Amino acid sequence: IVEFVTSYLSDKFILNLSLDGARESTDSFRKFKAASQQSVFESAWPHFKKFPSDRVRVIFTIAPEQVAHLTENVEFLIDNGFKHIDLFPQMFCLWGEGELDILKERLEGIVRRYNQLSGEGFSLRLLNRLWGSTHYEKILLGSDKKFYLFEFILSLAYENRTKYVIGDLEHGIDLARKKAIYQLLVDLFDKETGAQCQACDNKQLCAHPFAIYLWCKYQKKDFRSYYKNFCQIAEIMINAGRVLKIKTATDLEKWDNAGKKTELS
């Protein structure tokens, strides 16, 4: 598999690998189903090292219990030749105030470090969410050859899942439908929160936690109490991103102009 993927890597593609730093941090919450199996890190690391490091982006999930080691884990990846890193916090858990303070401090230090490396081919992306509200973020292709709005959708019952189909392999992504679904979710979410998100200074840089909202809705949980740290973490990530010299260029014109009058079926 490594040889096949590597042979097709070019300057137009970057391979995403999930890795959370050194062994202790990676193995702390990435585990095999069978407890007798070796660590996830030991299993994956020899293969990860075979890929050309400049064509790989490390997807690094920040766990609350490992946030104190965030700096050395990022340095571990840099020392091992990885140039492209995405950082985002675990979403479906509760963070303590002390842990959020550490997250803020560590991220500020990492941004300073990457600002020094920005001219050497390094890139860092700070993600305050798992799902965005634009046309270029991660989507899911199911085994039924259909594209879905969020990657957790396949865990839903079929009648709920089909509400979030945004295209298929034959016709591609229906961007107008995708935008219409997002707008519907904006309306539902704002009604639920009393339009608090619309009044937030960060609203242009922070997507609504739609996936969390939907997951809680179908699981019949109160999303405001189930996940109460979204806004705090988003503010930390956005503020750190504001001083990051490395910027990810995005083309919003296609999204802004898509399906302005589209109605959902």
Side-chain angles (χ1 to χ4, degrees):
I1 294 177
V2 172
E3 293 177 357
F4 174 80
V5 173
T6 302
S7 66
Y8 282 91
L9 287 177
S10 71
D11 58 358
K12 295 182 179 179
F13 297 93
I14 288 183
L15 180 68
N16 289 344
L17 301 176
S18 294
L19 185 66
D20 309 313
R23 173 180 172 175
E24 181 179 350
S25 292
T26 296
D27 286 346
S28 66
F29 67 97
R30 295 188 186 272
K31 304 179 185 297
F32 287 113
K33 186 175 182 180
S36 60
Q37 287 184 269
Q38 68 182 115
S39 76
V40 170
F41 180 88
E42 287 183 348
S43 178
W45 183 249
H47 301 292
F48 284 6
K49 289 293 291 178
K50 294 178 183 178
F51 291 109
S53 59
D54 61 333
R55 304 311 312 152
V56 167
R57 179 173 293 280
V58 176
I59 311 299
F60 188 129
T61 302
I62 307 170
E65 63 268 26
Q66 291 295 331
V67 69
H69 306 290
L70 179 58
T71 302
E72 51 260 48
N73 279 321
V74 170
E75 288 293 338
F76 171 83
L77 296 175
I78 293 174
D79 291 343
N80 279 278
F82 294 104
K83 291 181 174 292
H84 311 290
I85 299 178
D86 284 358
L87 294 178
F88 60 84
Q90 280 189 337
M91 306 299 286
F92 292 101
C93 62
L94 296 178
W95 289 60
E97 287 298 326
E99 293 167 337
L100 290 174
D101 291 339
I102 295 173
L103 175 65
K104 179 177 181 295
E105 178 187 352
R106 297 296 190 272
L107 282 177
E108 289 173 351
I110 290 170
V111 166
R112 288 194 296 270
R113 174 84 161 103
Y114 263 84
N115 282 343
Q116 297 172 345
L117 297 171
S118 61
E120 303 177 27
F122 285 84
S123 68
L124 175 69
R125 296 194 301 188
L126 304 180
L127 311 180
N128 65 69
R129 57 195 181 271
L130 292 182
W131 302 271
S133 61
T134 51
H135 68 276
Y136 48 81
E137 93 291 356
K138 183 165 53 178
I139 57 175
L140 175 73
L141 176 63
S143 59
D144 55 1
K145 300 181 181 180
K146 297 183 185 298
F147 290 107
Y148 291 90
L149 189 64
F150 300 132
E151 64 179 53
F152 85 106
I153 290 296
L154 291 186
S155 65
L156 301 180
Y158 182 76
E159 60 271 19
N160 294 324
R161 180 195 317 169
T162 55
K163 299 176 184 177
Y164 305 103
V165 172
I166 57 173
D168 55 49
L169 280 181
E170 182 178 357
H171 303 96
I173 301 295
D174 184 342
L175 191 59
R177 176 175 173 81
K178 182 178 180 181
K179 186 172 184 179
I181 294 175
Y182 264 115
Q183 187 57 53
L184 176 63
L185 292 175
V186 168
D187 295 341
L188 291 173
F189 193 83
D190 283 351
K191 181 178 180 181
E192 186 77 16
T193 63
Q196 290 179 356
C197 284
Q198 290 301 316
C200 179
D201 292 337
N202 290 324
K203 67 179 181 180
Q204 297 299 325
L205 299 173
C206 176
H208 297 275
F210 292 140
I212 298 173
Y213 168 69
L214 287 176
W215 185 89
C216 291
K217 175 182 176 181
Y218 290 117
Q219 299 296 324
K220 301 190 185 319
K221 295 181 181 290
D222 179 358
F223 79 96
R224 287 168 294 184
S225 60
Y226 180 80
Y227 183 71
K228 64 181 182 180
N229 298 131
F230 185 90
C231 295
Q232 295 167 290
I233 292 176
E235 184 176 11
I236 290 172
M237 302 295 276
I238 289 171
N239 287 340
R242 283 193 170 107
V243 296
L244 183 63
K245 292 181 180 179
I246 305 166
K247 302 298 182 184
T248 302
T250 58
D251 176 15
L252 298 180
E253 183 178 355
K254 184 177 179 182
W255 172 259
D256 290 338
N257 293 331
K260 293 183 177 179
K261 296 183 180 180
T262 300
E263 295 183 1
L264 294 177
S265 57

